[in-house]
């Protein structure tokens, strides 16, 4: 079941890339494994989804030990006091949204003598309940990131509202793309805008058409989650 779902998601990614004149190799599939038990997550890795996303630190570190052959992405809100548990275990942190959090990632990464790659999460839809940097603050935070020695800003991430019609989110995906263009134009040292993490099960094709380079897909791979996480 999981292998079949992955095949279908990969085909849909390839079709969306073809439609928008993009190379499929420029798009990375992140399997969102939150709430999914380690054995089922392992079957996704064995079927080729080696990049996995979790939104809780404790769940990520538990599966980090249990699942073999995966690279781990933290995609959910990160509290400053939990940073120390994940440094050295992540391929990419997608959800950085404050200077305080950048400072703590820098401090813990320096202590472990590693470089931690991250994205700035931008609240493009402006929903009050959402985490993320306001679009008007994005350039300021990117400028700050350029001075960090043990972490590296590689792009932007966003989580738009769930919608029935996926193309309704295209305005938010376009906005994230525009913010990345604005930041790139500043030519800051030591940062890149190569990654745009946008698109989930309900809207990843629309996101690819708008320039996404990383899609975070949970339920279309693992099935519907029985509880909210
Ligand atoms: C849960 C989650 C996803 C995946 O959601 P699906 O709709 O199941 O694909 C992607 N991104 C974030 C930040 C999430 O929390």
């Amino acid at each position: 079941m999981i292998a079949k779902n992955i095949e279908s998601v990969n085909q849909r990614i390839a079709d969306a890339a073809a439609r928008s004149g993009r190379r499929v190799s420029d798009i990375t599939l992140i399997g969102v494994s939150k709430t999914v038990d380690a054995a089922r997550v392992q079957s996704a890795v064995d079927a080729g989804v080696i990049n996995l996303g979790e939104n809780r630190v404790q769940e990520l570190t538990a599966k980090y030990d249990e699942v073999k052959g995966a690279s781990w992405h933290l995609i959910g809100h990160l509290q400053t006091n939990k940073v120390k548990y994940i440094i050295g275990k992540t391929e990419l942190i997608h959800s950085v949204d404050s200077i305080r959090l950048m400072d703590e990632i820098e401090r813990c990464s320096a202590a472990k003598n590693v470089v931690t790659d991250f994205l700035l999460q931008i609240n493009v839809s402006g929903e009050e309940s959402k985490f993320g940097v306001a679009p008007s603050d994005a350039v300021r935070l990117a400028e700050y990131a350029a001075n960090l020695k043990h972490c590296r800003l590689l792009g932007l991430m966003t989580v738009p509202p769930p919608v029935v019609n996926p193309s309704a989110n295209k305005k938010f995906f376009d906005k994230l793309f525009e913010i990345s263009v604005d930041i790139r134009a500043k030519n800051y040292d030591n940062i890149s805008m190569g990654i745009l993490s946008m698109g989930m099960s309900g809207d990843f094709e629309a996101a690819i058409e708008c320039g996404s380079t990383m899609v975070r897909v949970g339920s279309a791979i693992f099935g519907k989650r029985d509880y909210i996480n």
Side-chain angles (χ1 to χ4, degrees):
M1 184 66 180
I2 287 175
K4 245 196 144 44
N5 289 346
I6 291 169
E7 204 181 303
S8 147
V9 167
N10 277 328
Q11 186 58 54
R12 288 168 60 193
I13 290 172
D15 291 346
R19 271 200 304 279
S20 42
R22 306 198 40 222
R23 281 186 308 213
V24 70
S25 58
D26 290 341
I27 298 151
T28 302
L29 171 61
I30 312 290
V32 176
S33 52
K34 61 187 181 193
T35 79
V36 180
D37 64 72
R40 296 178 66 232
V41 177
Q42 187 68 58
S43 67
V45 176
D46 296 344
V49 179
I50 57 167
N51 287 286
L52 297 173
E54 286 286 342
N55 63 352
R56 294 184 178 199
V57 166
Q58 202 182 343
E59 207 175 333
L60 188 154
T61 55
K63 287 179 192 163
Y64 180 91
D65 292 331
E66 290 168 334
V67 176
K68 304 300 168 204
S71 296
W72 293 95
H73 296 247
L74 187 76
I75 61 173
H77 180 62
L78 176 57
Q79 287 171 285
T80 314
N81 62 355
K82 301 239 172 105
V83 169
K84 57 181 176 287
Y85 301 118
I86 54 160
I87 294 303
K89 297 189 171 177
T90 56
E91 178 77 16
L92 187 63
I93 301 174
H94 293 228
S95 44
V96 174
D97 62 0
S98 70
I99 286 180
R100 213 171 127 240
L101 188 52
M102 281 192 259
D103 283 342
E104 179 63 2
I105 295 171
E106 171 69 20
R107 191 185 71 77
C108 294
S109 301
K112 287 199 169 157
N113 200 24
V114 296
V115 173
T116 301
D117 290 335
F118 72 98
L119 308 177
L120 285 177
Q121 178 173 352
I122 311 291
N123 182 2
V124 284
S125 56
E127 290 168 280
E128 282 203 10
S129 60
K130 280 269 170 63
F131 295 110
V133 179
S136 57
D137 270 346
V139 168
R140 185 173 66 89
L141 266 71
E143 182 177 14
Y144 189 86
N147 293 310
L148 302 173
K149 300 278 177 287
H150 295 88
C151 33
R152 198 161 50 190
L153 173 61
L154 296 185
L156 306 177
M157 176 267 214
T158 198
V159 186
V163 284
V164 179
N165 175 3
S167 59
N169 275 339
K170 280 190 159 181
K171 60 177 182 293
F172 300 127
F173 299 143
D174 286 339
K175 177 83 185 160
L176 195 72
F177 186 89
E178 283 166 29
I179 295 168
S180 77
V181 170
D182 290 347
I183 293 173
R184 194 178 275 136
K186 302 279 183 187
N187 279 317
Y188 296 131
D189 289 339
N190 185 42
I191 71 161
S192 145
M193 283 289 120
I195 298 177
L196 288 182
S197 170
M198 55 188 196
M200 311 183 7
S201 292
D203 57 16
F204 67 86
E205 290 144 306
I208 289 168
E209 288 166 19
C210 297
S212 172
T213 71
M214 267 187 188
V215 292
R216 308 178 308 267
V217 179
S219 46
I221 292 175
F222 295 106
K224 209 162 150 277
R225 290 178 289 278
D226 340 323
Y227 57 98
I228 305 293
N229 180 303

